Amino acid sequence: MVKIGVMGTGYVGLVHGAVLAGHGFPVTCMDVDAGKIGRLSRGQSPIYEPGLDELLAAGLRAGTLSFTASAKDVIRGSDVLFIAVGTPAKEDGSANLDHVQDVVQAIGRYANGPKTVVCKSTMPVGTARSIARYLDGALKARNAPYRIDVASNPEFLRQGKAVSDSLAPSRVVVGTESEDAKRMLQTVYAAHLRQEVPFLFTNWETAEMVKYASNSFLAVKISFVNELALLAEKVGANIGDIAAGMGLDERISPHFLQAGPGYGGSCFPKDTQALLDVGRRNGEELFVVSAAAAANEKQKRRMADKIAEALAFGGSLKGKTVAVLGLSFKPETDDIRYAPSYDIINGLLSRGAAVKAYCPQGMKQAKRQWTEWDGIVAYCESEAECAQHADALVLMTEWPQFRDLGWDRIARSMRGGHFFDLRNQFADDPRIRRLFRYYPVGSNEPAYTLEEAQ
Ligand SMILES: NC(=O)C1=CN([C@@H]2O[C@H](COP(=O)(O)OP(=O)(O)OC[C@H]3O[C@@H](n4cnc5c(N)ncnc54)[C@H](O)[C@@H]3O)[C@@H](O)[C@H]2O)C=CC1
Ligand SMILES: O=C(O)[C@H]1O[C@H](OP(=O)(O)OP(=O)(O)OC[C@H]2O[C@@H](n3ccc(=O)[nH]c3=O)[C@H](O)[C@@H]2O)[C@H](O)[C@@H](O)[C@@H]1O
């Protein structure tokens, strides 16, 4: 059976490795973070991703999944090497390829036979070709009598649904110049995909661009609907109904038209910037993507403005307490990278508000990464503790557990009754409008309560 190595055990590498091990492939996952490797070897996942703990336990039990901190071991022991290290944004927006470079240099140094190297990380156009060129050179310099094939095979999974997306992806895109690499990836995917999945074979550059184009297009959709949401509030229209009306046209589709506080996460913000950077380097300014990124920044600012307008006519929020439910950039993940909550809470803090926060999975990372909030933001044990004595409640992330919190009790425990629903989760819920001054995104339907109106 094909021996698989995965370099990088983050959301992509760990899930991909665990899924392949679940299908009987011998998989070794490697990471430079020795602490992570230690925990993983004991079956402890460093990330929260539904279904992952079970896969991890099963793989370890069956002996198909193992972990190492040694690049040399994983490279020597694998036929196929998936590169799944991070490619974060640099200050100027371009992708930082330092981790990719480390991995590729190690492959050039330690490869001891033919291999297929698969770029799963999101990498700017031209990276796979330069990896292939580098590896060719490295093998020639050692007079190695074998070849290393390179394929770009971008990943499209969503966090929070990473396991199910891995088992049933919308498509598999493979960019390569090697027929052997094509066959190898077909074999690997054929064994693990649950259903018929379209394959698209292209050249390296096209595959790399499909990834950036897809994420950027989704970002454009979200920014488009968010801009309309701001306008809808001014003209008395309702963004939920606008999106529904648009989405009925199958050419538009109803997906990714949910107005909110702006997109976040480790990918849309960085991938839009990286595509803009590729455009700049090639003398093409990408106006649409650039506007989507700018609109996203505006959207986050507008959320804090909106809260300040309602609570203090746009003035200082000194003396006001705001309770924030949800810190992660989306539900079912502990990931807070580029989460809108960060900018919006900073907006509230800079206006003098006291901020309390609760998130089912994001607080550990927030405490670790957003250290400037130490002693400033009060992290709570529960939604009820968070809401207690607050002037306003902000639903930042639509965790399913926030659907029914015993709203009567929550409303009674608060000092003020403002409810900012940044995800429009309760837009059609008369109960919430009865209990709170309710502010959805993208509609200015009465924010006053029925009780108050009586
Ligand atoms: N997070 C997501 O939902 C998706 C991410 N991607 C892309 O996949 C790539 C990985 O993303 P994540 O899994 O989120 O990253 P992550 O930041 O969660 O994990 C990356 C891992 O790589 C490790 N690493 C760094 N240098 C290494 C080296 N030289 N050798 C071995 N391991 C090394 C890090 O210690 C870390 O554990 C990125 O390019 C990202 O854009 C693509 C689709 C979805
Ligand atoms: O390259 C990546 O990392 C991944 O990026 C996204 O996945 P992910 O970031 O996990 O999350 P999404 O569900 O796409 O949401 C991204 C952001 O957009 C926001 N969003 C999404 C949809 C919507 O209608 N409105 C909206 O505001 C979410 O709240 C979140 O902040 C893509 O959906 C994946 O296909 C891709 O593989």
Side-chain angles (χ1 to χ4, degrees):
M1 202 148 191
V2 180
K3 292 198 277 301
I4 308 253
V6 181
M7 307 189 73
T9 60
Y11 291 86
V12 169
L14 183 56
V15 170
H16 190 61
V19 163
L20 287 175
H23 288 274
F25 286 103
V27 178
T28 306
C29 293
M30 179 264 162
D31 204 290
V32 281
D33 183 337
K36 214 181 227 189
I37 290 299
R39 288 195 299 282
L40 282 166
S41 306
R42 295 190 294 277
Q44 297 162 4
S45 170
I47 54 171
Y48 174 76
E49 194 58 60
L52 181 59
D53 285 349
E54 293 79 354
L55 269 182
L56 202 55
L60 287 170
R61 212 171 33 241
T64 49
L65 185 59
S66 61
F67 295 94
T68 180
S70 160
K72 186 173 170 185
D73 288 355
V74 74
I75 293 164
R76 297 221 152 153
S78 307
D79 306 308
V80 179
L81 281 162
F82 286 94
I83 303 179
V85 296
T87 50
K90 288 197 214 163
E91 279 286 306
D92 65 358
S94 64
N96 181 339
L97 294 175
D98 289 354
H99 302 314
V100 173
Q101 204 175 341
D102 290 347
V103 165
V104 171
Q105 281 172 353
I107 297 173
R109 191 173 322 127
Y110 298 125
N112 55 343
K115 316 257 170 216
T116 308
V117 168
V118 187
C119 304
K120 249 209 175 304
S121 300
T122 303
M123 300 180 194
V125 183
T127 313
R129 185 174 293 278
S130 62
I131 291 175
R133 202 175 295 136
Y134 173 84
L135 290 174
D136 262 356
L139 293 193
K140 275 203 191 94
R142 294 203 264 127
N143 289 322
Y146 43 79
R147 220 182 54 231
I148 296 184
D149 292 325
V150 175
S152 165
N153 170 221
E155 177 57 62
F156 300 100
L157 64 76
R158 294 160 294 176
Q159 285 178 224
K161 294 189 172 128
V163 172
S164 52
D165 280 353
S166 258
L167 289 165
S170 49
R171 72 285 207 197
V172 174
V173 175
V174 178
T176 186
E177 295 191 339
S178 151
E179 288 303 316
D180 287 347
K182 267 188 210 173
R183 270 192 296 276
M184 180 61 98
L185 280 167
Q186 267 172 323
T187 308
V188 170
Y189 280 108
H192 99 260
L193 295 182
R194 259 187 202 152
Q195 55 183 47
E196 277 294 299
V197 169
F199 272 69
L200 178 68
F201 292 105
T202 71
N203 64 14
W204 285 314
E205 287 75 12
T206 305
E208 289 166 331
M209 233 168 119
V210 168
K211 175 64 196 176
Y212 284 104
S214 303
N215 273 2
S216 298
F217 186 73
L218 294 173
V220 166
K221 269 191 108 171
I222 298 169
S223 277
F224 182 80
V225 84
N226 280 341
E227 278 202 321
L228 292 188
L230 297 181
L231 182 60
E233 285 181 16
K234 299 220 161 130
V235 301
N238 179 311
I239 196 64
D241 292 341
I242 296 170
M246 288 166 64
L248 286 170
D249 183 335
E250 63 181 21
R251 294 170 305 172
I252 297 174
S253 116
H255 303 294
F256 273 72
L257 288 180
Q258 178 67 47
Y263 58 76
S266 67
C267 292
F268 287 177
K270 95 167 160 58
D271 291 348
T272 44
Q273 291 305 325
L275 185 58
L276 288 172
D277 178 68
V278 172
R280 274 193 299 272
R281 283 170 201 263
N282 287 279
E284 288 299 339
E285 193 176 347
L286 303 176
F287 293 108
V288 176
V289 180
S290 174
N296 198 51
E297 292 309 310
K298 173 175 159 190
Q299 188 70 5
K300 290 185 281 183
R301 276 196 308 274
R302 285 294 286 267
M303 295 300 112
D305 290 347
K306 179 175 164 152
I307 295 167
E309 270 156 32
L311 291 185
F313 303 105
S316 163
L317 289 177
K318 230 173 164 57
K320 302 283 183 198
T321 300
V322 182
V324 175
L325 293 183
L327 293 173
S328 55
F329 80 99
K330 62 185 274 191
E332 304 299 347
T333 182
D334 56 350
D335 199 344
I336 56 161
R337 289 179 284 182
Y338 295 97
S341 60
Y342 179 73
D343 296 290
I344 296 170
I345 290 176
N346 276 338
L348 297 172
L349 291 172
S350 69
R351 288 172 171 83
V355 175
K356 299 168 84 180
Y358 173 75
C359 183
Q361 293 290 339
M363 291 196 293
K364 204 161 127 196
Q365 288 300 334
K367 286 178 195 169
R368 193 175 295 161
Q369 292 177 39
W370 296 338
T371 46
E372 68 273 29
W373 290 355
D374 285 356
I376 295 174
V377 169
Y379 293 100
C380 301
E381 296 287 317
S382 66
E383 296 92 336
E385 184 194 335
C386 188
Q388 199 170 28
H389 306 314
D391 296 287
L393 194 64
V394 178
L395 186 86
M396 189 74 76
T397 314
E398 69 280 30
W399 281 86
Q401 71 185 61
F402 297 159
R403 289 289 322 165
D404 196 0
L405 291 178
W407 292 111
D408 296 86
R409 197 168 36 86
I410 296 240
R412 275 199 307 276
S413 77
M414 287 173 62
R415 190 164 61 189
H418 300 270
F419 188 133
F420 298 90
D421 182 357
L422 305 193
R423 301 289 183 168
N424 290 348
Q425 290 297 288
F426 298 97
D428 300 321
D429 189 337
R431 202 174 37 140
I432 296 293
R433 285 178 189 266
R434 247 194 331 271
L435 289 168
F436 299 93
R437 285 168 180 265
Y438 179 73
Y439 308 86
V441 174
S443 109
N444 64 0
E445 281 150 19
Y448 52 80
T449 66
L450 288 187
E451 272 168 5
E452 187 185 60
Q454 277 158 11

